[in-house]
Amino acid sequence: MKILSVIQYLETIAPIALQEPYDNAGLLTGNDQWECTGVVIALDVLEEVVAEAISKRCNLIVAHHPIIFKGLKKITGKNYVERTIISAIKNDIAIYAIHTNLDNVIKGVNGKIAEVLGLNDLTILKPVEQLLKKLVTFAPLKDAENIRTALFSAGAGNLGKYSECSFNIEGTGTFKAEEGSDPHVGEIGKRHEEREMKIEIIFYAHMQDKIVKAMTEAHPYEEVAFDILPLANYLSDVGSGLVGTLSKAMDETQLLQKITDSFNLKVIKHTSFTGNKVKKVAICGGAGSFLIPSAIAAQADVYITSDIKYHEFFDADNKILIADVGHYESEQFTIDLLHNILKEKFANFAVLKTDVNTNPVHYFI
């Protein structure tokens, strides 16, 4: 099996197009045409993780955080990033990062946290806008169903928990075939009227080439008339953070104890208690201060995240309990998530979780 097969499957779960503009997800070192000898899954890639992959005879590391985040002008080994890259390249180790694209899907990083906490009724905290487009095309009535089926098979027509969504209306199309054409219906030099179906269907913007190809291959017309329209709508299942509900309301201290136990924490930084029961919980793995207003707007009782700065704690304004559990701690379950995803797909293949604790933060108690 080639490394490309692993990458292609991961990108059906979390398409690269869903990463944030500042991110650097994807294949960072190596060649996707290499035969894959095994996969090591980690949150971060360090020299120790590369050495582990070498010792376990795995030539692919799948990590959440990209080891190359900023541009590298020199690779001389002067810091841990450069040393890690040098080691990976010298030993033919491919590194693949699946970062904010995995954050932004409902069954990704935050979905795993929600599972650990036992949250129900999950919705995206801050949905992403302008990732949808609409295709409008026209087809002879007898061919409309074949074209719709081709579009659905290519991934068009998915909206939240619904699939094969389209809008269709009958009308009359006209055209005159000029010399040199090869019309499917009608005669050259004569205006032709054809009863047609107008098909409207939405799709993820990053799938445009695939969708258009499927349409043109299924369409009987020599020249296919179609429009591609950008939409301002947000995607209900793509975006930052999640909000869900506990099966039973609990006190704030009980909730913090539940988090401590579930995340195996030594400490939680948090705002003042509001005195309210906790039922609705907002979460964001990694640095999530940018979602504090969204968590408050969602009327969550608590917001669990990390990397909150001193002055940002004031933004709770006694409207919500903010719990900062630590960056590594909030994303630690991503290793299990990726392991489960790949083991389910490649059951007879070596998919290993790293034994290296890459958390750079330690606590003196």
Side-chain angles (χ1 to χ4, degrees), residues 29-30 34 45 50 54 61 82-95:
T29 67
W34 290 345
V45 184
V50 174
I54 296 167
I61 298 171
E82 294 181 10
R83 291 192 300 271
T84 301
I85 297 303
I86 289 171
S87 179
I89 292 173
K90 285 177 65 176
N91 292 281
D92 288 342
I93 302 295
I95 298 174

Side-chain angles (χ1 to χ4, degrees), residues 276-303:
N276 300 322
K277 290 279 189 178
V278 175
K279 179 70 173 179
K280 198 170 192 180
V281 179
I283 54 178
C284 178
S289 61
F290 70 104
L291 288 176
I292 293 174
S294 298
I296 293 173
Q299 297 183 316
D301 302 303
V302 62
Y303 178 40

Side-chain angles (χ1 to χ4, degrees), residues 4-200:
L4 178 63
S5 298
V6 178
I7 292 174
Q8 287 178 330
Y9 181 66
L10 287 173
E11 292 182 4
T12 65
I13 307 295
I16 283 289
L18 299 184
Q19 70 175 315
E20 297 294 335
Y22 61 80
D23 201 7
N24 191 36
L27 188 63
L28 304 181
T29 67
N31 189 320
D32 62 13
Q33 293 303 307
W34 290 345
E35 292 293 325
C36 189
T37 61
V39 183
V40 171
I41 298 169
L43 199 62
D44 312 281
V45 184
L46 304 176
E47 292 171 88
E48 295 89 339
V49 177
V50 174
E52 178 184 32
I54 296 167
S55 69
K56 293 178 177 178
R57 297 192 173 121
C58 296
N59 66 346
L60 174 61
I61 298 171
V62 174
H64 184 46
H65 295 136
I67 181 65
I68 303 174
F69 202 72
K70 300 176 182 178
L72 296 176
K73 294 184 177 180
K74 298 177 181 179
I75 305 179
T76 60
K78 71 177 182 297
N79 57 42
Y80 81 95
V81 173
E82 294 181 10
R83 291 192 300 271
T84 301
I85 297 303
I86 289 171
S87 179
I89 292 173
K90 285 177 65 176
N91 292 281
D92 288 342
I93 302 295
I95 298 174
Y96 180 83
I98 181 167
H99 191 210
T100 53
N101 48 324
L102 191 61
D103 290 328
N104 283 338
V105 293
I106 199 165
K107 293 184 179 180
V109 174
N110 297 309
K112 187 63 179 179
I113 297 172
E115 178 187 320
V116 170
L117 291 174
L119 300 183
N120 306 302
D121 308 317
L122 301 179
T123 57
I124 295 289
L125 191 55
K126 187 178 181 181
V128 174
E129 298 177 348
Q130 298 181 330
L131 283 182
L132 285 174
K133 289 188 177 182
K134 180 193 287 187
L135 169 69
V136 181
T137 191
F138 308 86
L141 295 182
K142 65 182 179 62
D143 298 294
E145 178 57 26
N146 287 338
I147 294 170
R148 277 193 298 267
T149 299
L151 289 168
F152 294 149
S153 297
N158 295 319
L159 186 61
K161 296 179 181 179
Y162 294 85
S163 62
E164 301 192 7
C165 303
S166 70
F167 181 77
N168 307 269
I169 187 169
E170 290 187 28
T172 301
T174 68
F175 59 85
K176 183 171 72 172
E178 301 295 344
E179 290 295 330
S181 63
D182 182 21
H184 178 66
V185 291
E187 299 178 30
I188 293 175
K190 292 183 179 181
R191 182 195 301 161
H192 177 78
E193 291 189 358
E194 180 74 20
R195 292 297 293 171
E196 293 182 324
M197 184 73 74
K198 179 183 181 183
I199 303 170
E200 299 186 16

